[in-house]
Amino acid sequence: MERTLSIIKPDGVAKGLTGEVIRRFESDNIKIAAIKMIHMTKVQAQGFYDVHKERPFFDSLTDFMSSGPAVVMVLEAENVIAKNRELMGATNYKEAAEGTIRKDFATDIEKNVVHGSDSPETAASEISYFFNQLEIISL
């Protein structure tokens, strides 16, 4: 069983897409092992996206991610990292496959509704940024 972090970004929450995103995960036999709504500060967003601090989009990304509530989740399933990334679609929603979350709902390369970890190592680090072990249920 594998775990990954998923975030419904502030644009997804503002558009009322939380239930739809969760429905898509559950329809693909992905279990939610932990979930909570947060509102990151700019400093918290900078800490989470620290790996991108030298990139030109860092300030706009962290401004956006601290602009409103987001839903953070720990997802669990066999090959969940790949499954989640397939459900999300390409980062650039214009290149995302039909029927993916980003193709259906994103409006911008940053405002692309969801975030998902890209590797087991990243998943472990990202999960621990938002959740302690007592908050995660093994399913």
Side-chain angles (χ1 to χ4, degrees), residues 5 47-48 51 117 119-131:
L5 182 83
F48 182 72
V51 67
S117 305
S119 71
E121 297 77 24
T122 303
S125 172
E126 291 182 347
I127 288 168
S128 70
Y129 193 83
F130 293 109
F131 294 95

Side-chain angles (χ1 to χ4, degrees), residues 83-109:
K83 285 175 94 169
N84 182 40
R85 295 186 71 74
E86 185 176 326
L87 286 170
M88 289 190 307
T91 301
N92 182 345
Y93 71 102
K94 292 178 182 176
E95 298 171 2
E98 291 296 327
T100 61
I101 294 167
R102 289 176 172 154
K103 184 68 167 187
D104 291 346
F105 303 114
T107 58
D108 184 281
I109 197 160

Side-chain angles (χ1 to χ4, degrees), residues 25 33 35 40 50 54 60 64 87-88 122 134:
F25 293 152
I35 185 170
M40 283 188 270
D50 187 62
E54 301 302 323
S60 64
F64 165 60
L87 286 170
M88 289 190 307
T122 303
L134 293 173

Side-chain angles (χ1 to χ4, degrees), residues 43-96:
V43 170
Q44 289 167 331
Q46 289 171 329
F48 182 72
Y49 286 105
D50 187 62
V51 67
H52 297 303
K53 68 182 171 201
E54 301 302 323
R55 303 258 177 107
F57 58 81
F58 181 73
D59 281 333
S60 64
L61 175 61
T62 55
D63 282 344
F64 165 60
M65 290 301 291
S66 60
S67 70
V71 175
V72 292
M73 295 174 275
V74 177
L75 305 179
E76 189 174 84
E78 293 294 330
N79 301 311
V80 73
I81 294 169
K83 285 175 94 169
N84 182 40
R85 295 186 71 74
E86 185 176 326
L87 286 170
M88 289 190 307
T91 301
N92 182 345
Y93 71 102
K94 292 178 182 176
E95 298 171 2

